[in-house]
Amino acid sequence: MPSPSSHSDNTIPKLPYLGARLRSLYQWIEAAQQTGAYDEIWDCCCDHGYLGIKILARELCQRVHFVDQIPHLITNLQQRLSYYPTGRYQTLAADASQLRFSDQQRHLIIIAGVGGENSVEILRQILPQHPEQSLDFLFCPATTQFDLREYLHEQRFALLHETMVTEKGRDYEVIGARWNSESSDLPQVSKTGNHWDLTNDVHHRYLTKLIKHYQRRTLGDKASEAQRILDIYQATWNNLTCP
Ligand SMILES: C[S@@+](CC[C@H](N)C(=O)[O-])C[C@H]1O[C@@H](n2cnc3c(N)ncnc32)[C@H](O)[C@@H]1O
């Protein structure tokens, strides 16, 4: 992994505009940091780094880590970050699955804007390295949310937060979840979500779309896997309509 950037520049940078999706993540983090929940925040798969930059600029934690596997994105980001004190952030051109987290700090690890399957691949490598340590994650998968949810459920992640956000006509799930939770007060992350309210237009539209999606997939290859997932969503829908 490359070493953290170390140059500085005095020009005050313009804060990036956050769209509704990243704003929703930011607002949850801002609320969590009112009680100083996290020392270190990891903007994994950061791309342009907009979310991490806002967290850094607002001094929401001790250190922000920007991680992306594409080196030139990280080089561009380093130039953008040069105004900020180097001790407040770190940039890494790395695969997020290779990250390891010190047990001396409380970490929030953001994995947003990548598919659910990719998020699971990252987790599969990270979690075995932290068998006892509690780690908090904030997810906003771009696709295949079920794969991520099912994995979180199987790994007994505790649910911290879940909501929906709509940006440019697309609906996204936001899921905050804790690995190795010691609290029995928190519910487990469910395979389809605990927060559905079919009187809410967004929830209704989103679940309808998901069910139609898996119905279509039962006609293609991997039909039995699609049917398995469809049955789970259908049961959720039925519980909501005829509890
Ligand atoms: C669409 S951008 C998401 C940017 C931002 N997180 C967001 O939610 O808007 C996806 C980024 O994830 C990065 N990425 C995908 N898999 C990764 C991995 N395993 N480790 C690090 N970066 C990854 C890609 O290089 C790309 O820049």
Side-chain angles (χ1 to χ4, degrees), residues 16-233:
Y17 167 80
L18 300 187
R21 189 176 55 82
L22 291 182
R23 203 160 58 236
S24 168
L25 303 182
Y26 177 82
Q27 284 165 349
W28 185 80
I29 295 166
E30 190 179 44
Q33 290 307 79
Q34 280 177 6
T35 55
Y38 305 110
D39 304 314
E40 313 246 333
I41 298 183
W42 299 73
D43 188 358
C44 296
C45 309
C46 66
D47 193 351
H48 39 62
Y50 289 172
L51 180 56
I53 292 173
K54 184 109 186 239
I55 294 167
L56 176 65
R58 295 280 190 251
E59 300 183 356
L60 289 192
C61 62
Q62 289 171 14
R63 204 147 71 123
V64 181
H65 303 261
F66 296 85
V67 185
D68 201 286
Q69 64 189 1
I70 299 181
H72 77 79
L73 291 175
I74 292 297
T75 306
N76 291 345
L77 196 53
Q78 281 167 348
Q79 285 158 12
R80 228 186 142 161
L81 293 176
S82 56
Y83 166 81
Y84 298 100
T86 51
R88 301 301 304 270
Y89 70 89
Q90 179 183 206
T91 54
L92 290 170
D95 184 332
S97 66
Q98 300 308 306
L99 295 174
R100 303 296 175 252
F101 304 94
S102 143
D103 60 7
Q104 302 302 305
Q105 281 94 20
R106 294 159 306 154
H107 303 273
L108 177 68
I109 302 149
I110 305 162
I111 302 180
V114 296
E117 283 167 291
N118 192 356
S119 310
V120 170
E121 282 314 308
I122 294 170
L123 290 173
R124 273 192 210 287
Q125 309 235 27
I126 290 177
L127 301 186
Q129 306 300 323
H130 300 279
E132 316 240 311
Q133 190 180 345
S134 180
L135 293 172
D136 285 3
F137 291 83
L138 189 57
F139 301 101
C140 185
T143 54
T144 56
Q145 305 75 8
F146 181 83
D147 299 59
L148 174 62
R149 278 192 167 279
E150 186 166 59
Y151 182 78
L152 297 178
H153 179 77
E154 285 166 354
Q155 300 301 318
R156 301 183 171 278
F157 270 76
L159 180 67
L160 300 171
H161 168 69
E162 63 187 340
T163 193
M164 295 293 305
V165 60
T166 303
E167 181 174 273
K168 294 183 181 155
R170 273 195 68 185
D171 301 320
Y172 298 88
E173 294 187 42
V174 176
I175 306 162
R178 177 167 297 160
W179 164 245
N180 279 331
S181 170
E182 284 166 10
S183 164
S184 53
D185 296 343
L186 295 171
Q188 211 181 319
V189 174
S190 94
K191 289 189 187 184
T192 55
N194 287 329
H195 64 308
W196 302 117
D197 167 10
L198 290 183
T199 64
N200 178 312
D201 288 347
V202 175
H203 291 200
H204 192 284
R205 174 178 72 202
Y206 181 76
L207 275 182
T208 306
K209 211 168 146 190
L210 268 182
I211 288 173
K212 283 190 179 150
H213 167 77
Y214 284 108
Q215 280 170 339
R216 269 195 313 275
R217 279 194 41 195
T218 61
L219 305 174
D221 48 340
K222 299 192 184 162
S224 62
E225 173 63 359
Q227 187 64 54
R228 183 182 76 81
I229 301 172
L230 177 60
D231 290 344
I232 296 171
Y233 275 113

